[in-house]
Amino acid sequence: MQHRVKVYNLAQDGSWEDQGVGHVILQDSATEGGARNLLVVSEADGGSPLLLSRVLPSNTYQRQGEGTIITWSDPELRNDVAISFQHEEGCEHIWNEIQALRGEAAAAYGAPENGEGSQPSQGQQGRQQQMQGMI
């Protein structure tokens, strides 16, 4: 199931940079055994990828805004990422999928689950406030 989103990356100056609009899906990874990726395919650029991010149990995912924004720090991309959903139902669907995947991976590898109940750092709180004011 695809959901329409806008992708943002955190710039060096602390502002959120719009990367474009596309559709997000969870995709099986061809290289990682059982891993899944968040893939956002551009609406405007002939279906080219705007974002490809592995769902990792060590990432701290945060849901914010009016229930339509998911943010995280991606160690592979070396950047903070946000996806803003057009509809709350889409955000709810992807959020639940991420949490389920992280729970499965954490159980398999003994990694801590740092999602729904975790407390964001001061830096994350500042970025969240900034993101909420922007979207």
Side-chain angles (χ1 to χ4, degrees), residues 27-37 53-56 76 109:
Q27 172 190 57
D28 292 331
S29 173
T31 58
E32 302 291 326
R36 304 226 31 218
N37 297 316
S53 176
R54 258 192 326 149
V55 177
L56 300 169
E76 293 175 344
Y109 297 106

Side-chain angles (χ1 to χ4, degrees), residues 29 31-32 35-38 51-59 61 72-81:
S29 173
T31 58
E32 302 291 326
R36 304 226 31 218
N37 297 316
L38 277 171
L51 173 70
L52 181 63
S53 176
R54 258 192 326 149
V55 177
L56 300 169
S58 59
N59 281 355
Y61 296 86
W72 68 98
S73 291
D74 190 311
E76 293 175 344
L77 298 175
R78 293 187 174 101
N79 202 357
D80 287 359
V81 179

